Amino acid sequence: MSSAENPILIVESLNKVYQGGFEALKDINLSIRRGEIFALLGPNGAGKTTLISIICGIVKPSSGKVRVDGYDIIDDFRKTRSLIGLVPQELTTDSFETVWNTVAFSRGLFGKAPAPDHIERVLKSLSLWDKKDSMVMTLSGGMKRRLLIAKALSHEPNVLFLDEPTAGVDVSLRKDMWKIVQELKAAGVTIILTTHYIEEAEEIADRVGVINQGELVLVEEKQQLMQKLGKRQLTLLLTEPLNRIPEVLGGYDLELIEDNRQLRYTFDSAAQRTGITALLEDLKTAGVSFSDLQTSQSSLEDIFVDLISQPVRS
Amino acid sequence: MNLHGVLAIYRFEMARMKRTLLQSVVAPVLTTSLYFIVFGAAIGSRIQQVDGVSYGAFIVPGLIMLNLLTQSISNASFGIYFPKFVGTIYEMLSAPVSMLEVVLGYVGAAATKSLILGLIILATASFFVDLQIAHPLVMLAFLVLTTLSFSMMGFAIGIWADNFEKLSLVPMLLVTPLIFLGGSFYSIDMLPPVWQTISLFNPVLYLVSGFRWSFYEIADVNVGVSLISICGFLLLCYSIIWFIFKTGYKLRS
Ligand SMILES: Nc1ncnc2c1ncn2[C@@H]1O[C@H](COP(=O)(O)OP(=O)(O)OP(=O)(O)O)[C@@H](O)[C@H]1O
Ligand SMILES: [Mg+2]
């Protein structure tokens, strides 16, 4: 079966109403492919952590279903939870334990027999090996973040959730982090991460989902988003409104906007020829005149801001 | 059954206790010794004998119970409260462990520790008074049942508490008075009749009485009644925890 037909994670009509009546998630439907890196974007309070917490078993869903590798997260919680590793958003660690012991504890907690080799590999890959006998409270913030990753990887999960892994992390550690994520992906681990940073999603994700006020407003291949990103637009302010686009201009990607008072031309900024010169020639021939022009580039940021500033139906 | 998970929690808790060895062993041993000096030597020289047993020896079972109860409750309640407080509970909640397994790990560790402590106090006591244990197996049964049930009670308190005040409220307001009024340091025969009747409503009385019987074969109430009531209490604590998890009370929002 191909990975598209056999998703690793399926979320169906998931709702969450917190005690007190706050609707944190509204009818979420999402399917995650095996082995992909999925970035969940959204502003503060959008519901990212809530969604992850439900999948991992920390928060109870109000209604809806979640299946991990075909198993229900409630009926088969042992199965689904042993498949999942979670790196939480908050830096919550024990203080008085050693690095080695906390990681070994996590592995045991998730039902796996001790495997010093595996833990050694994980600690080395996260540059924590020389800290293995240090008490957790003596680690720096970035080290604690890596320790949380080590704990999540201690039981060899198939799905890894990273809730804002780069919050408070410096540039070089961020690079390291992405390297680790790529290595995990290469090893077949499915990765779902949340972030506020669009560049981060761009850099690392295969697909991007945007969540806002508890609603999943967009799920798209990053490539497709990037294509939209690569598009530029030239807008001409017409001196006279046009009823329709003249036929001689049929070869251009044009549309009339703003009550036919503006003409918008979309082109690929990466292409050798933008076609602008030819278009201007042809406009002259067609007798279309304009008073002003401007170009713009739509970024993922724009798409994002656009999406989340739309009033959400309630 | 996730045995690795239970063991992981158990070991983690035992390691935590090892780190706090000083306060968890030295302190009770010291206070016990003080009890012997104050109650046994000073007061005991006036009371002399209770039911044919020297006063110093008479209070040993009560002293052990006093420590078992308070230590079981504080170990178990702190054990589960602390991860809630610092947030590391997320890992427990996202792990493939059932709540029964979580209880086994935490309560098992807390009970083990109080049991060890009980034996240490017993050994300490033997330096001060002449000890005889008429029914060692019954004594052990009382030790195990008491540490288990009061560790469960502590566990329930740790889940219920959402601040440190609540965490120490129940032990302070409920358990300490019950212990002191439960015949730990006297036989209820010494009380006026009204107070004797009132004492019979104190569950700790049954514990101390039965436990003391296993030493000296003297008791305020029948040892069978004592055993049945401690088993009943164990069941009650287990049901409370079962109910807590059944409803997901205060752990999962
Ligand atoms: N335990 C809770 N009880 C009540 N409301 C809650 C609880 N946890 C979260 N919420 C609310 O649910 C909404 C979503 O919170 P969530 O933590 O999922 O957001 P998020 O997308 O992760 O935000 P951030 O980017 O800040 O981490 C917020 O409005 C939050 O106040
Ligand atoms: Mg969050």
Side-chain angles (χ1 to χ4, degrees):
Chain A
M1 228 187 281
S2 84
S3 63
E5 295 159 356
N6 184 15
I8 186 83
L9 172 69
I10 300 172
V11 178
E12 270 171 13
S13 321
L14 185 68
N15 288 281
K16 176 62 191 178
V17 182
Y18 277 113
Q19 259 164 6
F22 182 79
E23 261 189 285
L25 293 177
K26 300 164 194 164
D27 194 33
I28 302 285
N29 290 282
L30 177 65
S31 146
I32 303 290
R33 298 171 197 153
R34 252 160 236 278
E36 76 172 328
I37 300 179
F38 188 88
L40 199 55
L41 278 161
N44 284 131
K48 304 180 292 295
T49 301
T50 302
L51 178 59
I52 289 180
S53 299
I54 290 176
I55 299 169
C56 295
I58 298 167
V59 169
K60 290 191 286 189
S62 300
S63 65
K65 275 211 167 300
V66 179
R67 271 173 291 149
V68 182
D69 205 10
Y71 298 98
D72 185 84
I73 56 157
I74 291 171
D75 300 336
D76 294 308
F77 76 93
R78 280 185 200 276
K79 190 73 197 160
T80 63
R81 290 186 198 169
S82 54
L83 289 170
I84 293 176
L86 165 66
V87 181
Q89 180 172 1
E90 308 285 340
L91 276 180
T92 44
T93 53
D94 305 302
S95 300
F96 306 106
E97 276 292 342
T98 64
V99 167
W100 178 277
N101 283 352
T102 21
V103 178
F105 166 78
S106 299
R107 184 176 170 90
L109 192 62
F110 278 76
K112 289 270 165 75
D117 295 0
H118 175 70
I119 293 178
E120 181 175 340
R121 232 176 300 130
V122 168
L123 287 180
K124 281 184 172 159
S125 76
L126 289 159
S127 318
L128 283 172
W129 182 242
D130 56 331
K131 291 279 174 191
K132 68 177 166 37
D133 298 317
S134 304
M135 253 207 269
V136 173
M137 62 188 285
T138 66
L139 301 184
S140 76
M143 290 173 191
K144 281 186 187 146
R145 175 84 52 198
R146 277 178 282 157
L147 174 64
L148 288 177
I149 300 177
K151 279 165 79 73
L153 294 177
S154 66
H155 65 279
E156 300 158 69
N158 295 20
V159 184
L160 181 67
F161 286 93
L162 295 161
D163 200 352
E164 279 173 53
T166 54
V169 157
D170 71 19
V171 178
S172 87
L173 179 53
R174 197 173 291 201
K175 287 243 151 51
D176 289 351
M177 202 99 91
W178 294 153
K179 212 181 101 222
I180 293 159
V181 167
Q182 293 294 0
E183 283 165 9
L184 286 169
K185 179 188 154 97
V189 178
T190 307
I191 293 147
I192 296 146
L193 56 96
T194 74
T195 175
H196 293 135
Y197 306 114
I198 287 126
E199 319 85 69
E200 221 162 78
E202 270 182 40
E203 197 173 321
I204 192 137
D206 298 315
R207 280 198 307 156
V208 176
V210 177
I211 188 166
N212 184 42
Q213 292 181 34
E215 290 195 67
L216 195 59
V217 285
L218 169 134
V219 174
E220 206 162 53
E221 300 287 338
K222 187 188 60 183
Q223 290 308 326
Q224 259 161 303
L225 275 178
M226 295 302 281
Q227 262 164 25
K228 283 185 192 165
L229 231 169
K231 293 273 181 344
R232 285 176 70 112
Q233 288 171 335
L234 173 72
T235 307
L236 302 168
L237 292 114
L238 303 172
T239 37
E240 297 279 323
L242 276 180
N243 290 329
R244 53 182 199 85
I245 296 166
E247 274 178 32
V248 278
L249 303 175
Y252 300 95
D253 182 1
L254 289 171
E255 60 182 321
L256 279 164
I257 53 171
E258 301 284 320
D259 291 332
N260 299 353
R261 277 181 278 116
Q262 294 183 10
L263 190 64
R264 188 158 73 192
Y265 171 51
T266 306
F267 59 96
D268 192 344
S269 60
Q272 288 277 329
R273 295 160 182 276
T274 58
I276 293 176
T277 327
L279 173 69
L280 295 183
E281 291 284 333
D282 288 340
L283 281 172
K284 205 167 171 186
T285 321
V288 179
S289 58
F290 53 90
S291 57
D292 200 359
L293 83 178
Q294 63 192 46
T295 63
S296 64
Q297 175 162 26
S298 64
S299 68
L300 194 47
E301 184 99 37
D302 293 334
I303 298 171
F304 184 66
V305 169
D306 211 39
L307 277 169
I308 66 172
S309 58
Q310 276 165 12
V312 173
R313 69 187 152 81
S314 48
Chain B
M1 182 85 179
N2 179 353
L3 264 182
H4 289 297
V6 175
L7 268 177
I9 298 173
Y10 184 85
R11 283 210 200 95
F12 185 88
E13 281 300 292
M14 291 310 281
R16 187 173 67 79
M17 290 165 187
K18 229 182 273 167
R19 282 195 304 267
T20 54
L21 202 64
L22 203 70
Q23 79 187 55
S24 50
V25 174
V26 175
V29 168
L30 188 71
T31 42
T32 312
S33 306
L34 288 174
Y35 272 107
F36 278 118
I37 293 164
V38 174
F39 282 86
I43 302 177
S45 63
R46 283 154 203 265
I47 300 181
Q48 296 189 353
Q49 286 212 329
V50 184
D51 296 332
V53 179
S54 80
Y55 185 69
F58 179 84
I59 62 169
V60 171
L63 267 179
I64 294 176
M65 276 293 159
L66 169 76
N67 279 289
L68 283 193
L69 261 59
T70 45
Q71 287 293 318
S72 297
I73 290 178
S74 75
N75 287 337
S77 62
F78 198 76
I80 187 70
Y81 177 78
F82 200 66
K84 256 184 14 171
F85 178 69
V86 295
T88 46
I89 189 92
Y90 85 87
E91 198 176 20
M92 196 83 57
L93 297 177
S94 64
V97 283
S98 70
M99 282 309 159
L100 178 72
E101 288 154 2
V102 174
V103 173
L104 268 178
Y106 277 104
V107 170
T112 307
K113 187 195 164 194
S114 339
L115 201 62
I116 293 171
L117 186 78
L119 296 175
I120 290 176
I121 293 175
L122 192 63
T124 312
S126 70
F127 287 111
F128 291 90
V129 292
D130 241 356
L131 275 182
Q132 31 166 162
I133 301 168
H135 304 278
L137 283 181
V138 178
M139 184 204 78
L140 217 61
F142 268 106
L143 279 182
V144 171
L145 287 171
T146 306
T147 50
L148 270 182
S149 48
F150 280 86
S151 296
M152 274 191 204
M153 182 174 164
F155 187 85
I157 293 170
I159 286 181
W160 162 78
D162 43 21
N163 57 43
F164 278 101
E165 231 159 60
K166 283 188 185 172
L167 200 61
S168 55
L169 203 68
V170 177
M172 227 169 53
L173 288 187
L174 196 70
V175 179
T176 312
L178 284 183
I179 293 171
F180 277 89
L181 300 176
S184 302
F185 304 111
Y186 53 85
S187 162
I188 58 167
D189 296 343
M190 299 171 173
L191 299 175
V194 189
W195 284 102
Q196 286 192 24
T197 316
I198 292 174
S199 294
L200 288 176
F201 290 96
N202 181 352
V204 176
L205 176 82
Y206 295 82
L207 265 183
V208 174
S209 164
F211 193 51
R212 187 179 291 133
W213 180 86
S214 71
F215 283 76
Y216 314 118
E217 295 187 309
I218 50 170
D220 287 323
V221 288
N222 185 288
V223 64
V225 177
S226 287
L227 268 176
I228 289 170
S229 51
I230 179 68
C231 288
F233 187 65
L234 185 78
L235 271 178
L236 177 72
C237 291
Y238 184 77
S239 321
I240 291 172
I241 291 179
W242 180 83
F243 178 77
I244 284 175
F245 288 142
K246 181 90 184 150
T247 55
Y249 176 79
K250 279 200 174 171
L251 277 179
R252 290 191 166 89
S253 42

